[in-house]
Amino acid sequence: MRLHSLTLRNFRGVKDRSVSLPAIGTTVVVGDNEVGKSSLVEAFALVFELPDDSKAKRIADIQPVGQDVAPEVTVELTLGGRELTYTKRWLKNRATELAIVDPDGRRQSWTGREAHNEAERLFAENVDPVLWQTLMVSQGQSLVLPTPADAEPLITAVTAESGTPVDGASMPLVTAVEHEYLRYWTRGGRPTGEFAKSAQWVATAELTAAQALKAMDEVVADIRRAERLALDLEDLSGRLGEHLKSVEELRIRKKDTDEILLRRDSVRARAETARARLENHTRTRVERERLLAEVARFTEADAELAKRRTDAETVARKAAETVRAAEAALAEIVELKEERRGDVHEAERLVSKLADRAELDRLLVQQSELVDVRARIAAAGMVLDGVKVDDAVVAALEDARAKVVEARAALAAGVPEVSVRRVGAEVVLLSGTGLDAGAGVKVPGELEEDVQLLVSGELVVDVPGQVEVRVHAGGEAATLRSRLDEAVRLEKDLLKQARVKDLAAARELLRKADMVSAELQEARRTERSLTANGDPSERIALLCARLGISAATGEVEEDEPKPSGKQLPPVEDVPGQMSLFEEFEEDTFDFSDLVVPAMEGGDLGAAERALEDARAELAVAERLLSDAEFAAAQARKAADEDRSEAQQARARSELAEERLAAAVEALVAARAVLADEEVEGEEEKATAEVEAVLDELTAVQAQAHEAGADEAAGALNDALAVATRLQGERDVLRDSLRTTEGRLEQSGRDGLATRRDTAELELAAIRAEHEGLKRRADAARRVYETLGRHRAEAQTKYSEPLQTRIESLGRSVYGPSFKVWLDDDLAVAERELDGARLRVESLSTGAQEQLAIITRLAISHLVSTGEGSVPVIFDDALGWSDKGRLRDMGALLGRAGDHGQVIILTCMPERYEYVPRATFIKLEA
């Protein structure tokens, strides 16, 4: 199919527009948004799909809102070798017209529903719907990769190119096998339909039979359980009766032993009371003995501590006297040290003053040198500031001089030379323009001697009243003269800017400037050396202030004015150089009038030696002071220790006195309660009472042991616990027996045996039917899988032409490493680039769109020569591509137009500026 033209009237926002398209090549239809580009594709689809009397909403949507007009579409195309002109108008004045021109030139036409049916038949016969939908990319669908496995023209093309028949593409055998397979299995291989239901019926029957058999097994188990429970209940009831007899015997025994236990508890209480009384008397005796021993110990300690206190106070008084003597000696040595320190300070002051005077003398000499150096720097700087000549200026003057010489030589060689000589007494006048008689010769005027003239303009030789001769040099001479004048003017301008007379003067001035620059650099190095430690003038002023020296200036006579600066000599022997140096005034303070008086106090060496002697005497005094301070510190430390020891002895003595008083007071209080001689008697009486009670307790304990009183209560409790447990077990067995007997009675009424037999018969019948279905299902699956395997092998072969075509087109965009893999639907599943293999969905948006376009172009290329070919239509594509990819994709779209019809709709024409040989159609609003 080839689309030649499309005309829309009253279609959405389009009032009347006709677009003609080349039958082959790439066409780019350009227009702004909402100008009707996408309406072209929609109109082509509607004209073949819906009749003129359709009431579909799609027809109502294409009518302009608020206008009572009829949407109309006319399309001209080639379809199956026939040329069609097809017009359809909807809603108002409905009409359908179809005109066909056969390849042999025969014309046919239809109208109304017949025209619609004939056009629909021809479109269905010649255009595969899958291929048409694959190659027509609507707006917003450029990222969708095609899956063209069901497109008959593509299958035919790849079959023809690969030489492999496409088994199963449309063969009835595959359809029948697949239909039979799907009766029993899903596409995923799970049972379905009647086969799945049969399996469910088998499972249900098996479950019913199993439940019936289980119910019968449970009845048998209940019978056995009932027999066992009856026997266990009888045995347990007998053991419970015998155990209850034992419990009664133990209860009687416990009652007989309770009286013995009560008497034993009473004796134990009296024994505890007697033992407590004995312990109380024993503590009283021990406490009395402690108080007596404590009074004796504190009395002895008090006497000892009082003696130590007296000795410590004596030692502390002697240490205080030693401290006072050491502090007196320390005060004398401190006074001596201060005296020596004053001597050192005086000597240091004198040395510092003499050192400052020596430093002042040195700095005055340095300052004088610095003043001279700075004067040289200022003079050199002023010289260099006045020089306007440098290497570049000299080079420019040399070039200008060379051009003047060259122009003069060219003028001399290119213009006539005239010799004029007066031979008589007549007056000969010379005048004209462009005359050059050599240096120093005045050309215009009366001729006085022989002259040779170069004529670059006009020469007039006039003998008044007799002859007038005019000589013209011609046009070339004027040009040579103009060049000479220009060269001379340029040389004069350069000499004026450099302020020199000629080139030799400029060279000499540059040499003198270089000498001055070298002197300037040397002076600056000397200045940096003299000021490396700072400006001497600041240090001089500081030293003068420290030494108390003031500057005094001499008197200046009135008839001898003081110069304000220094006059620098000019640079000599520089031709044409005027005054380069001006007067300059020094900025540095002049110390030449500074009055420095003579220094008193001897020379610096003697003062330094006196300072060393004073420092040595001060060091001796400091050592004596250190020794005295150490001795005083030791005395203070010893005095502090002795004083502390005396205080501690006093505190210990006072504490001992307090403890002795407290112990005596406690002893007096205890004796007031009970005398010393009565304490031991009370303890002996309590001991006898305890021994008597313990003997009675031993006798009662022996009687309880003999009667087993302690074990009777425990044995009774254990027996009662066992009886309770046996009674619980008996009740459980009785309830279980009743429950089992109830189930057995109910089972007899339900007819479980009959249910079991019926379930087994039904299970056998259902299994037999299911086995037959299973054999048919397994056979269908084997045939389906075998045929599918062969189909997949064939599909791998026939997909190779499409894969090869996609890779060939893609390598022109991505390079030689581009590869693709197709799935069973012939859709691109994976892409490899530079060794990296990725799923299509993992690619970037731009890469997915480019791959979708390449795939459709490859499909179009394969089917372009067949009768089923259709145009490739892209509506608003390449929106995610960078400039480099747009260039490569544009070249690819241009080549695709060589094999078929490629139509591109866009509002951004710059995306397709790299498409070669493209036809651009501009849609105006």
Side-chain angles (χ1 to χ4, degrees):
M1 181 180 72
R2 290 290 183 268
L3 183 60
H4 302 303
S5 70
L6 195 61
T7 301
L8 279 67
R9 296 183 181 88
N10 301 319
F11 194 99
R12 292 192 183 274
V14 178
K15 185 172 184 61
D16 191 349
R17 171 172 292 126
S18 182
V19 178
S20 298
L21 301 169
I24 193 168
T26 302
T27 303
V28 182
V29 180
V30 181
D32 296 335
N33 290 329
E34 300 183 1
V35 79
K37 301 185 301 298
S38 300
S39 297
L40 297 174
V41 180
E42 183 183 13
F44 185 80
L46 286 177
V47 75
F48 282 96
E49 183 177 350
L50 297 178
D52 55 21
D53 58 352
S54 174
K55 303 298 182 182
K57 185 177 183 298
R58 294 168 60 191
I59 297 299
D61 290 343
I62 64 175
Q63 184 183 38
V65 178
Q67 299 182 33
D68 187 18
V69 293
E72 181 178 332
V73 176
T74 299
V75 57
E76 296 180 0
L77 70 157
T78 299
L79 193 61
R82 301 178 178 90
E83 296 180 1
L84 280 70
T85 302
Y86 188 27
T87 301
K88 185 171 290 186
R89 186 167 57 247
W90 292 274
L91 299 178
K92 186 178 181 181
N93 299 325
R94 299 190 305 272
T96 302
E97 298 176 359
L98 175 63
I100 299 178
V101 179
D102 292 334
D104 57 2
R106 186 167 57 91
R107 292 179 174 273
Q108 304 179 66
S109 61
W110 291 264
T111 60
R113 179 55 68 114
E114 291 182 354
H116 172 80
N117 293 339
E118 182 65 16
E120 187 178 42
R121 183 186 67 79
L122 290 174
F123 192 83
E125 286 180 358
N126 294 278
V127 177
D128 181 76
V130 176
L131 182 63
W132 172 246
Q133 293 298 326
T134 299
L135 299 185
M136 185 180 68
V137 183
S138 301
Q139 191 174 27
Q141 299 297 315
S142 61
L143 296 178
V144 180
L145 269 76
T147 55
D150 295 329
E152 289 291 344
L154 176 63
I155 300 302
T156 302
V158 297
T159 301
E161 188 163 329
S162 65
T164 303
V166 188
D167 296 333
S170 60
M171 294 178 62
L173 174 61
V174 175
T175 304
V177 169
E178 183 176 9
H179 182 268
E180 182 66 17
Y181 172 80
L182 294 177
R183 283 184 58 193
Y184 306 105
W185 308 95
T186 64
R187 295 191 182 276
R190 295 189 301 276
T192 187
E194 184 181 358
F195 181 46
K197 292 179 181 179
S198 176
Q200 293 176 357
W201 293 338
V202 170
T204 303
E206 289 176 346
L207 179 60
T208 302
Q211 290 175 347
L213 182 60
K214 181 180 179 182
M216 286 300 299
D217 292 341
E218 290 177 353
V219 170
V220 174
D222 283 343
I223 294 172
R224 294 174 181 173
R225 186 181 299 108
E227 294 175 352
R228 186 175 63 254
L229 289 173
L231 293 175
D232 292 344
L233 180 59
E234 183 180 356
D235 178 64
L236 184 59
S237 298
R239 287 190 287 114
L240 178 59
E242 292 178 358
H243 188 72
L244 290 176
K245 293 178 182 180
S246 299
V247 170
E248 188 61 29
E249 292 174 359
L250 288 172
R251 188 177 283 112
I252 296 171
R253 177 185 170 190
K254 181 178 180 301
K255 183 178 180 182
D256 295 339
T257 59
D258 284 344
E259 185 179 352
I260 298 173
L261 293 177
L262 288 174
R263 189 167 65 253
R264 184 184 64 182
D265 292 341
S266 176
V267 175
R268 279 180 177 172
R270 286 192 289 109
E272 290 297 327
T273 301
R275 188 180 292 110
R277 190 179 297 111
L278 174 60
E279 290 176 355
N280 187 32
H281 288 297
T282 301
R283 282 195 298 273
T284 300
R285 177 182 56 79
V286 171
E287 178 64 17
R288 186 63 53 85
E289 292 174 351
R290 187 190 66 78
L291 288 174
L292 291 171
E294 195 174 62
V295 168
R297 187 174 68 256
F298 286 164
T299 300
E300 183 179 355
D302 182 59
E304 177 66 22
L305 290 174
K307 181 177 181 302
R308 290 181 182 177
R309 172 181 176 180
T310 302
D311 295 341
E313 290 176 347
T314 301
V315 171
R317 285 194 297 272
K318 293 181 178 179
E321 294 176 357
T322 303
V323 168
R324 286 193 292 273
E327 289 178 347
L330 177 61
E332 294 178 359
I333 296 175
V334 167
E335 185 178 353
L336 176 62
K337 177 189 172 183
E338 291 301 323
E339 183 180 347
R340 295 292 183 266
R341 188 189 300 273
D343 296 341
V344 169
H345 287 168
E346 181 63 25
E348 287 176 344
R349 186 189 63 77
L350 180 59
V351 168
S352 176
K353 190 172 183 180
L354 293 173
D356 289 344
R357 173 58 186 273
E359 175 69 7
L360 178 61
D361 293 341
R362 185 187 67 80
L363 289 175
L364 288 173
V365 174
Q366 183 177 341
Q367 178 66 21
S368 177
E369 296 176 358
L370 184 60
V371 169
D372 293 339
V373 167
R374 286 175 173 169
R376 289 164 54 197
I377 291 173
M382 293 183 65
V383 169
L384 294 177
D385 289 342
V387 173
K388 303 300 181 181
V389 178
D390 55 13
D391 291 335
V393 172
V394 171
L397 287 172
E398 290 175 345
D399 291 343
R401 177 80 279 193
K403 289 179 180 178
V404 170
V405 173
E406 182 181 353
R408 286 188 184 278
L411 182 65
V415 301
E417 182 177 1
V418 177
S419 297
V420 180
R421 182 166 61 89
R422 190 172 62 176
V423 296
E426 290 82 1
V427 175
V428 179
L429 302 178
L430 299 179
S431 64
T433 59
L435 304 179
D436 189 356
V441 177
K442 184 176 180 181
V443 175
E446 182 179 351
L447 179 65
E448 296 178 356
E449 58 183 8
D450 295 345
V451 64
Q452 285 77 33
L453 300 176
L454 295 176
V455 181
S456 58
E458 180 184 62
L459 171 65
V460 178
V461 181
D462 183 19
V463 179
Q466 297 183 17
V467 67
E468 180 181 273
V469 180
R470 293 180 179 271
V471 181
H472 297 277
E476 183 179 1
T479 302
L480 295 176
R481 184 69 189 189
S482 175
R483 291 178 182 175
L484 175 60
D485 293 342
E486 177 64 22
V488 171
R489 184 192 61 76
L490 177 61
E491 183 183 28
K492 289 181 178 180
D493 289 344
L494 290 174
L495 291 172
K496 182 178 181 181
Q497 292 175 7
R499 297 169 59 186
V500 293
K501 182 176 68 176
D502 53 22
L503 177 61
R507 287 172 177 167
E508 181 62 19
L509 185 60
L510 180 62
R511 185 184 66 80
K512 295 291 186 180
D514 290 340
M515 294 174 58
V516 172
S517 179
E519 292 179 359
L520 176 61
Q521 293 178 2
E522 177 62 26
R524 284 176 174 169
R525 283 195 294 271
T526 303
E527 181 188 27
R528 286 194 296 271
S529 175
L530 291 173
T531 59
N533 296 323
D535 194 334
S537 61
E538 298 177 359
R539 183 65 177 165
I540 290 172
L542 178 63
L543 291 176
C544 288
R546 187 184 300 173
L547 294 172
I549 300 174
S550 59
T553 57
E555 295 292 331
V556 179
E557 296 182 2
E558 295 180 358
D559 56 347
E560 295 180 1
K562 184 177 180 180
S564 61
K566 295 184 178 180
Q567 181 68 34
L568 300 178
V571 180
E572 298 177 354
D573 302 328
V574 181
Q577 175 67 42
M578 304 303 292
S579 176
L580 296 181
F581 305 104
E582 303 292 341
E583 273 194 0
F584 71 97
E585 189 169 338
E586 296 182 57
D587 294 331
T588 306
F589 181 75
D590 190 0
F591 290 91
S592 59
D593 295 330
L594 184 65
V595 178
V596 181
M599 190 67 189
E600 299 178 357
D603 61 356
L604 180 60
E608 289 177 345
R609 287 191 295 275
L611 175 60
E612 290 299 325
D613 293 342
R615 286 176 175 169
E617 293 178 359
L618 176 60
V620 172
E622 288 177 344
R623 285 195 296 274
L624 292 175
L625 177 60
S626 177
D627 294 341
E629 288 176 344
F630 179 75
Q634 290 295 106
R636 293 191 195 97
K637 181 179 179 182
D640 291 341
E641 292 175 354
D642 293 340
R643 185 167 53 256
S644 177
E645 181 64 27
Q647 292 174 352
Q648 292 177 3
R650 186 182 302 108
R652 286 194 293 269
S653 176
E654 292 174 352
L655 179 59
E657 291 176 354
E658 292 176 358
R659 287 180 178 178
L660 176 59
V664 170
E665 183 179 356
L667 180 59
V668 171
R671 285 175 175 171
V673 175
L674 190 64
D676 294 341
E677 59 275 9
E678 295 177 354
V679 171
E680 293 183 1
E682 291 294 331
E683 183 182 10
E684 292 174 357
K685 188 187 298 183
T687 299
E689 182 181 358
V690 168
E691 290 175 353
V693 174
L694 289 177
D695 291 342
E696 183 180 358
L697 179 61
T698 301
V700 175
Q701 182 66 32
Q703 184 180 3
H705 180 69
E706 183 179 354
D710 292 327
E711 294 81 8
L716 177 60
N717 292 333
D718 293 342
L720 288 173
V722 172
T724 302
R725 180 177 58 79
L726 291 176
Q727 287 175 349
E729 291 178 1
R730 181 193 63 186
D731 295 339
V732 171
L733 286 174
R734 185 179 296 157
D735 294 340
S736 298
L737 180 59
R738 290 173 181 171
T739 302
T740 304
E741 289 174 348
R743 284 201 303 269
L744 288 173
E745 184 178 356
Q746 182 64 35
S747 299
R749 290 195 296 267
D750 291 344
L752 292 180
T754 303
R755 287 172 55 195
R756 179 194 62 188
D757 296 339
T758 302
E760 289 178 348
L761 290 174
E762 291 179 355
L763 175 60
I766 292 173
R767 278 179 175 169
E769 183 179 358
H770 177 69
E771 288 297 325
L773 284 173
K774 186 175 185 301
R775 286 192 296 272
R776 292 195 296 274
D778 290 341
R781 180 165 62 180
R782 285 194 296 273
V783 174
Y784 178 77
E785 290 176 349
T786 302
L787 189 59
R789 184 171 61 255
H790 288 292
R791 183 186 182 190
E793 293 174 356
Q795 189 177 30
T796 301
K797 295 179 181 179
Y798 78 72
S799 65
E800 183 178 354
L802 178 59
Q803 179 178 347
T804 302
R805 200 62 51 88
I806 293 173
E807 290 179 347
S808 176
L809 297 178
R811 285 168 184 162
S812 66
V813 177
Y814 295 102
S817 64
F818 176 81
K819 295 181 181 179
V820 295
W821 282 264
L822 307 183
D823 59 15
D824 293 342
D825 294 327
L826 297 183
V828 178
E830 297 178 359
R831 186 208 72 179
E832 180 177 321
L833 189 62
D834 297 330
R837 184 170 176 176
L838 297 173
R839 297 285 302 173
V840 169
E841 54 268 19
S842 300
L843 300 177
S844 67
T845 303
Q848 291 186 37
E849 183 185 47
Q850 295 153 18
L851 189 56
I853 293 174
I854 291 171
T855 303
R856 289 184 170 89
L857 295 179
I859 295 171
S860 174
H861 194 181
L862 281 171
V863 302
S864 61
T865 58
E867 294 183 355
S869 65
V870 296
V872 185
I873 300 176
F874 296 109
D875 189 357
D876 195 20
L878 292 179
W880 288 275
S881 299
D882 56 41
K883 191 171 184 179
R885 286 282 186 265
L886 288 175
R887 182 182 293 107
D888 297 334
M889 291 299 294
L892 182 61
L893 289 168
R895 291 196 300 274
D898 297 339
H899 303 283
Q901 190 177 30
V902 179
I903 302 172
I904 300 171
L905 308 174
T906 183
C907 61
M908 309 254 328
E910 59 271 15
R911 295 180 187 170
Y912 304 96
E913 61 184 3
Y914 302 106
V915 180
R917 300 180 302 282
T919 300
F920 282 81
I921 299 175
K922 176 68 174 178
L923 300 183
E924 300 295 341

